[in-house]
Amino acid sequence: MTADRAPRAFLTFSGLRLRLWPIILAALIMQLCLVPARELVRWLFLEAGPAGWADHVGMLVFTAIMLQGLCGLLGIAVMGRLLPRADAHLRWPPGRSMVGLAAAIGVVMGLVMLVADYWPALLAGVAPDGGYSLDPPIVAGWLLAMITTGLGEETVFRGLLVGMLVVLVPGRVRAGRFEVPVAGVIVALLFGVAHYESFQYHPLHLAIAQQLYAFAWGLVYVWLMEQSRSLLAPIVAHGVGNFVEVALVMALMWARG
């Protein structure tokens, strides 16, 4: 007769070595990659650029994303010298690319964000107030910015920060059958914190929703990265999700405006 086995805990940790200083370092690197690029582009468009540039907010966002991605690539290059064991997953997928799954996940993310961000308007049957101009060049700028968001942000968050923390804060966490490195959970929290400006410019329900789904999406992105051993899948999921939400908001504004 075999002894009954104890039920397996839903949430388990393994190999965890939690240290505070690498997390603080990751938060500082995040700010160094995001804030200077954002402020430089804001100054170029709002202060130094030609008249009318300030109306093209989507292009401002696109430019900031590209600068953030460049900063992430520079950080990865430095990390490769200082922390050779770190893997930024900056490669073409060696096996399954998971791009199709990533795109499907991105569509679902876009729909979830649409509901989370605009549920009062959707319940009322009115057009969401996205604050977007429907002038074609401005629409094109916003959609370009959204579809390329993953190029900048995944390079920083999953490539650089997760790559660094997997070495400096080792360990894994499993919830049921879903398993990711502890570093991925930490960076998902930082990813939510990176959206802190939403508390300044948006209603409280929208700001809280962004924190929650940014954390959840961060976990999905790191899972996609690990499963495909590449940044390509999280880049696709991230970009498609943002694109779908903004495109749907614009479509609803146009249809009901």
Side-chain angles (χ1 to χ4, degrees):
M1 182 180 296
T2 59
D4 292 336
R5 291 186 296 179
R8 187 175 186 176
F10 176 77
L11 184 66
T12 59
F13 293 86
S14 59
L16 177 60
R17 186 184 176 191
L18 191 61
R19 293 186 289 182
L20 184 59
W21 72 263
I23 299 173
I24 295 173
L25 177 61
L28 291 174
I29 292 173
M30 176 186 76
Q31 291 296 85
L32 286 173
C33 286
L34 301 184
V35 174
R38 186 185 305 151
E39 294 305 315
L40 174 61
V41 171
R42 183 177 288 143
W43 176 79
L44 287 173
F45 273 73
L46 301 184
E47 303 294 338
W53 278 31
D55 296 330
H56 294 270
V57 182
M59 291 307 299
L60 183 154
V61 175
F62 169 73
T63 307
I65 289 169
M66 294 299 100
L67 289 177
Q68 290 166 1
L70 178 60
C71 182
L73 291 175
L74 292 174
I76 288 171
V78 173
M79 180 176 70
R81 292 296 186 94
L82 300 180
L83 206 63
R85 290 185 297 148
D87 184 1
H89 292 79
L90 199 63
R91 67 175 72 90
W92 191 257
R96 292 188 306 156
S97 71
M98 300 185 70
V99 166
L101 176 61
I105 289 173
V107 171
V108 173
M109 287 176 171
L111 294 172
V112 170
M113 290 189 292
L114 176 69
V115 174
D117 292 345
Y118 300 103
W119 60 267
L122 296 174
L123 285 178
V126 299
D129 183 12
Y132 303 111
S133 166
L134 297 183
D135 185 51
I138 296 178
V139 168
W142 268 113
L143 295 181
L144 174 64
M146 293 301 98
I147 199 66
T148 57
T149 306
L151 287 172
E153 295 189 356
E154 290 309 302
T155 302
V156 173
F157 284 96
R158 257 53 64 178
L160 175 58
L161 299 184
V162 172
M164 178 184 75
L165 289 182
V166 161
V167 176
L168 298 179
V169 187
R172 298 188 67 80
V173 57
R174 175 189 290 269
R177 296 185 177 182
F178 182 80
E179 182 177 349
V180 293
V182 170
V185 178
I186 295 169
V187 173
L189 288 170
L190 292 177
F191 188 53
V193 171
H195 295 78
Y196 66 90
E197 284 190 339
S198 61
F199 285 99
Q200 299 173 346
Y201 303 114
H202 300 295
L204 183 61
H205 76 272
L206 172 56
I208 293 175
Q210 287 189 346
Q211 296 294 309
L212 294 175
Y213 65 60
F215 172 71
W217 297 169
L219 297 179
V220 175
Y221 297 148
V222 77
W223 180 83
L224 285 169
M225 182 181 76
E226 279 206 329
Q227 294 300 308
S228 64
R229 292 182 289 167
S230 168
L231 278 181
L232 179 61
I235 285 172
V236 169
H238 196 151
V240 169
N242 287 352
F243 179 92
V244 166
E245 182 189 21
V246 172
L248 287 175
V249 170
M250 290 179 169
L252 289 171
M253 289 173 63
W254 177 80
R256 298 178 181 178

